[in-house]
Amino acid sequence: MNILIRKFYYGDIPEDSGGSNELKDSSKASPKGGGLEGATDWPLWEIFIRSKQGLDHKHAGSLHATDAQMAIENARDVYTRRMEGVSIWVVESKYIHASNPDEAAQLYEPANDKIYRHPTFYDLPDEVGHMLQP
């Protein structure tokens, strides 16, 4: 009696046609030998990790995954191998919008007109000793 046991990881199970339990020839299923021939077509996910309760999430990196659940599982395996995190956020990269650094001057210029937001021109009395002056 021959028993074939193969371990597959999430996302690299070869296609099975016809409903049988027999696998296709592995040389056809994975030309690169890893079973991830379509991985470059998977969406890119940005990974954010919170290291401790009460702290903010920090960007840890990016990875490709088929869906959010797979991205969380892969992020756990890649970015929190030594128990560094208590929370993982994953965001598909196409949903992140950022300002253009070349347009920073016109984006932040209106804040310079509002000097009342930075009250550095007030003179503090000597009796107020616990406040720091710039």
Side-chain angles (χ1 to χ4, degrees), residues 29 46 50 68 74 76 88 102 114 116-117 124:
E46 299 300 324
R50 181 169 52 182
N74 289 349
R76 177 201 61 210
I88 299 173
D102 296 335
K114 299 173 177 76
Y116 54 85
R117 291 187 179 175
L124 293 177

Side-chain angles (χ1 to χ4, degrees), residues 2-128:
N2 293 335
I3 298 175
L4 174 65
I5 298 175
R6 294 186 65 185
K7 184 175 183 179
F8 292 103
Y9 294 96
Y10 189 55
D12 62 351
I13 299 174
E15 293 291 326
D16 184 17
S17 62
S20 69
N21 288 335
E22 294 184 25
L23 297 174
K24 290 182 182 179
D25 180 12
S26 62
S27 63
K28 294 178 185 173
S30 175
K32 297 176 185 167
L36 299 174
E37 64 273 357
T40 56
D41 297 336
W42 295 351
L44 183 66
W45 296 81
E46 299 300 324
I47 310 303
F48 299 87
I49 306 289
R50 181 169 52 182
S51 58
K52 293 181 183 176
Q53 282 297 98
L55 297 180
D56 53 349
H57 285 77
K58 301 279 185 187
H59 184 257
S62 305
L63 56 80
H64 288 276
T66 57
D67 58 10
Q69 185 60 37
M70 181 181 180
I72 289 173
E73 291 172 6
N74 289 349
R76 177 201 61 210
D77 295 342
V78 173
Y79 296 109
T80 64
R81 291 178 293 187
R82 294 176 188 87
M83 303 298 289
E84 301 96 335
V86 296
S87 175
I88 299 173
W89 285 356
V90 296
V91 180
E92 197 169 348
S93 294
K94 70 180 182 180
Y95 294 115
I96 295 177
H97 303 278
S99 62
N100 186 348
D102 296 335
E103 299 172 356
Q106 67 186 24
L107 181 64
Y108 298 111
E109 185 179 352
N112 293 334
D113 294 342
K114 299 173 177 76
I115 60 172
Y116 54 85
R117 291 187 179 175
H118 306 285
T120 57
F121 50 86
Y122 292 117
D123 292 326
L124 293 177
D126 292 334
E127 294 83 30
V128 183

